[in-house]
Amino acid sequence: MDTAGDDSDKPVNAPSRNYVRDAKAMAATPADVKEYPNSYVFIVDMPGLKSGDIKVQVEDENALLISGERKREEEKDGVKYIRMERRVGKFMRKFTLPENANTDAISAVCQDGVLTVTVEKLPPPEPKKPKTIEQLMDAGGDNSDKSVIFPSSNIVRGAKAKAATPADMKEYSNFYVFVVDVPGLKSGDIKVQVEYDNVLLLSGERKREEEKEERREGLGNSRGSLHCRRM
């Protein structure tokens, strides 16, 4: 039996009135966004609003929220509207700021119904220098050949070297082991680096041996030079 207080016919998870109101306000508030070398600029149309009627806030550390409300003017007795097109009610826009936006350096200016919000950019981070592992020795215990830093190669060469350098990776209870085939290379020919705090880079280069003047004909050359690189 139905009762006066039965709300079973109400839609489940229906949006609240405030949500619908804010969604309509954001859809009806036009804005432009510009990027400059050192800042981002948000230009929002808010006709009829003064600076004291507008709020500029930062939510959740990276969300720029701009809001305001224009109320209908109180009319004198004997006045009626013949046409009503100018918008009244809530103005709102919400923008997700880029990672390099400096939320501590935000300024806003409202002039002639146009709000301009400027968000400065953070300076670019300094590139991290690769760490070179110097404690590298052959299995026999000879560490006379220390690792050396080779000049960086281009992307194509590095990709080919990575594809041609087989490796196994093992996980133990307390550590990881990387086993890489680098035939013909000594410890001094191999470089072990840590880049970007979490990338292990193994690289080395094997050059072709200098041949003597007398060379036997008819022998194949399958080894040749080698450039190895694994990440």
Side-chain angles (χ1 to χ4, degrees):
M1 182 175 65
D2 295 335
T3 61
D6 185 9
D7 57 354
S8 59
D9 293 336
K10 291 185 178 181
V12 180
N13 296 329
S16 63
R17 291 184 178 180
N18 289 337
Y19 178 86
V20 174
R21 182 191 182 195
D22 291 347
K24 291 182 178 180
M26 286 190 285
T29 305
D32 295 335
V33 181
K34 300 180 181 180
E35 180 178 4
Y36 292 90
N38 299 319
S39 63
Y40 297 97
V41 176
F42 302 83
I43 304 173
V44 186
D45 284 348
M46 290 191 162
L49 294 183
K50 298 179 181 180
S51 58
D53 302 324
I54 303 172
K55 290 183 179 180
V56 179
Q57 299 170 294
V58 176
E59 295 183 341
D60 303 325
E61 296 184 356
N62 69 334
L64 178 65
L65 177 62
I66 301 171
S67 61
E69 186 172 2
R70 185 174 71 184
K71 299 180 179 179
R72 191 176 303 280
E73 300 174 358
E74 296 183 359
E75 301 294 345
K76 299 179 180 180
D77 295 338
V79 177
K80 66 178 181 179
Y81 279 95
I82 299 175
R83 183 184 296 270
M84 186 182 296
E85 297 179 348
R86 296 169 62 241
R87 180 169 170 258
V88 295
K90 192 171 185 178
F91 293 79
M92 176 181 285
R93 285 306 298 263
K94 192 172 185 178
F95 305 93
T96 300
L97 296 174
E99 294 182 356
N100 63 341
N102 186 357
T103 56
D104 294 328
I106 299 178
S107 59
V109 177
C110 184
Q111 184 176 4
D112 300 329
V114 178
L115 176 69
T116 302
V117 180
T118 302
V119 182
E120 301 294 334
K121 289 183 179 181
L122 293 170
E126 296 182 0
K128 296 183 178 180
K129 298 181 179 179
K131 301 177 183 178
T132 302
I133 309 302
E134 298 292 347
Q135 298 297 328
L136 186 65
M137 63 178 64
D138 290 327
D142 181 13
N143 64 346
S144 59
D145 295 330
K146 295 293 185 65
S147 61
V148 294
I149 299 178
F150 294 92
S152 60
S153 60
N154 55 44
I155 296 176
V156 176
R157 185 185 183 195
K160 290 182 178 180
K162 178 179 178 182
T165 306
D168 294 337
M169 177 179 176
K170 301 178 182 180
E171 179 179 0
Y172 293 87
S173 57
N174 297 324
F175 55 88
Y176 297 94
V177 173
F178 300 84
V179 185
V180 185
D181 285 348
V182 284
L185 295 185
K186 298 180 180 180
S187 60
D189 301 324
I190 303 170
K191 181 172 62 173
V192 181
Q193 295 176 288
V194 176
E195 295 183 337
Y196 310 113
D197 293 337
N198 66 340
V199 177
L200 179 65
L201 176 62
L202 311 174
S203 61
E205 186 172 3
R206 185 177 70 192
K207 298 180 180 180
R208 191 181 306 278
E209 299 175 358
E210 295 183 1
E211 300 292 344
K212 297 181 180 179
E213 294 182 0
E214 296 181 359
R215 182 175 179 181
R216 297 176 60 185
E217 299 295 337
L219 298 179
N221 182 11
S222 60
R223 291 177 71 242
S225 61
L226 169 68
H227 180 80
C228 65
R229 179 182 177 93
R230 282 312 298 262
M231 299 179 67

